[in-house]
Amino acid sequence: MERIILDVDTGLDDAVALFLAAGLDEISIEAVIATAGNVGLDNTLENTLNILETAGVKCPVYKGADKPLVRNPVQAGDFHGKSGLDGPVFAPRKFQHAQEEDGIEALVRMVRKNPHQLSIVSVGPLTDLALAFRKDPSVALLCKQIVVMGGSFSQGNVTEHAEFNTFADPEAASLVFSSGAKLVLFPLDCTRRVTLSPTRLADFQRRQGLSTAVFCACMESYTANYTKRGQGEPQMHDPLCVAYLIDPSKVETEHCRVAVDTDPGRTYGKTTKIPTDSDGGVLVAKDIDIPWFWSLVDRALANLP
Ligand code: RIB
Ligand code: CA
């Protein structure tokens, strides 16, 4: 059983990551922390609670950071809609609600209580992890591993150089990438290759289940937003990080150091690979078995209410 803590800025692809983690028997979601990113924290928290309630997940949910470490906040609502989760309409929740405890406090507490047993999946800006490492530097080395969606070593998606999650908090990304934690990074170079085709979406739309219906409503608006911007089929960034935990052998990786540009300017938030043969590097995902990934999404959604 892979015990995980998810740190999300629930937008539409974060929702797929949450459904995937919730629906796969190999994974135990120990906690979820919502952070500001795609949209503001109030919306990412609400979206996270709604997706987890839909999936029947009763794990504790915490509020993370509501702003980046240093820079002015930026959002990515144009791909996710004003609410961050345009598409589905949710009934009033019956059980999911935010815990009182601060998310960063909870992260530090849980990792210290479960040394080398918890995998962290971070699919938004890295602010929460950076704050946790600042509060207690030992946390970086007590995580079993940290799987991150972020960065790009080719074209960015928010500026020509930078990917959204690293651009939204470059200082936090730089701190996490140099923390010595056991990191696996899914950059745009890998994640933009996994897209949802109209044929596959139509196949999901023929299926039953509330979670599948919410997934389809999310993916319909995700598809529309990509089409509106002439960006082709919607890209499945975040759920690849969850899939990795099921079978790392399905992901081709390379080991290197990753630097983040923290000088405000044209390349702010840009990530660069630096060859290294020493420890403390990052496993960077280069490719993933795409049919296998979709087989996991099929299995997870079929497993959910
Ligand atoms: O660049 C893609 C990332 O930015 C994804 O995590 C998406 O949810 C947005 O947060
Ligand atoms: Ca995200």
Side-chain angles (χ1 to χ4, degrees):
M1 182 68 78
E2 193 66 51
R3 300 173 61 200
I4 74 169
I5 294 176
L6 279 147
D7 193 278
V8 292
D9 62 333
T10 304
L12 295 165
D13 61 323
D14 302 71
V16 182
L18 289 167
F19 278 134
L20 195 56
L24 293 175
D25 297 331
E26 301 93 322
I27 288 180
S28 165
I29 305 178
E30 309 272 319
V32 179
I33 305 168
T35 198
N38 283 315
V39 288
L41 177 58
D42 290 347
N43 281 63
T44 60
L45 176 65
E46 184 67 9
N47 297 339
T48 302
L49 292 168
N50 281 330
I51 293 294
L52 290 172
E53 174 119 351
T54 301
V57 175
K58 295 184 166 32
C59 75
V61 178
Y62 301 91
K63 271 198 251 183
D66 61 1
K67 60 182 185 305
L69 294 186
V70 174
R71 65 161 299 152
N72 60 311
V74 287
Q75 298 188 356
D78 44 358
F79 282 97
H80 304 271
K82 195 163 167 298
S83 69
L85 206 75
D86 275 10
V89 177
F90 297 96
R93 288 190 301 275
K94 294 189 173 65
F95 59 83
Q96 263 302 355
H97 61 279
Q99 302 296 310
E100 282 305 312
E101 184 181 11
D102 168 75
I104 286 84
E105 300 275 351
L107 178 60
V108 171
R109 172 178 55 79
M110 292 178 76
V111 170
R112 289 184 60 83
K113 194 171 164 218
N114 302 276
H116 310 296
Q117 299 162 57
L118 298 177
S119 293
I120 315 295
V121 176
S122 176
V123 292
L126 285 157
T127 318
D128 293 348
L129 273 174
L131 290 170
F133 293 177
R134 273 192 182 164
K135 182 178 282 297
D136 181 343
S138 71
V139 168
L141 302 182
L142 291 176
C143 298
K144 179 180 174 184
Q145 61 193 323
I146 301 175
V147 190
V148 173
M149 191 281 140
S152 176
F153 303 104
S154 51
Q155 183 76 19
N157 64 355
V158 64
T159 70
E160 63 172 305
H161 298 286
E163 175 278 329
F164 176 77
N165 287 337
T166 51
F167 183 71
D169 198 337
E171 289 76 11
S174 179
L175 189 154
V176 171
F177 291 165
S178 56
S179 65
K182 191 171 174 234
L183 284 167
V184 182
L185 179 66
F186 279 80
L188 281 182
D189 312 71
C190 179
T191 64
R192 62 168 44 119
R193 301 182 59 250
V194 186
T195 63
L196 176 64
S197 70
T199 308
R200 189 180 300 278
L201 178 52
D203 184 38
F204 281 116
Q205 288 165 333
R206 285 190 286 271
R207 302 183 194 178
Q208 303 299 314
L210 176 60
S211 297
T212 298
V214 169
F215 167 87
C216 289
C218 287
M219 293 300 101
E220 285 153 17
S221 58
Y222 201 33
T223 301
N225 291 340
Y226 265 78
T227 304
K228 231 181 284 173
R229 278 156 194 76
Q231 299 277 321
E233 296 177 354
Q235 299 164 12
M236 295 293 117
H237 306 294
D238 296 346
L240 303 194
C241 297
V242 174
Y244 174 82
L245 297 173
I246 303 300
D247 186 351
S249 74
K250 302 290 188 185
V251 178
E252 183 193 338
T253 58
E254 62 180 319
H255 182 262
C256 55
R257 281 188 38 241
V258 174
V260 186
D261 186 339
T262 55
D263 294 329
R266 210 167 43 79
T267 55
Y268 193 31
K270 178 180 168 72
T271 44
T272 309
K273 280 188 280 195
I274 303 161
T276 178
D277 49 13
S278 66
D279 291 341
V282 178
L283 272 185
V284 176
K286 296 174 72 179
D287 205 353
I288 187 169
D289 179 332
I290 297 176
W292 166 80
F293 166 75
W294 284 114
S295 74
L296 293 183
V297 177
D298 284 346
R299 174 157 64 94
L301 288 174
N303 221 5
L304 290 175

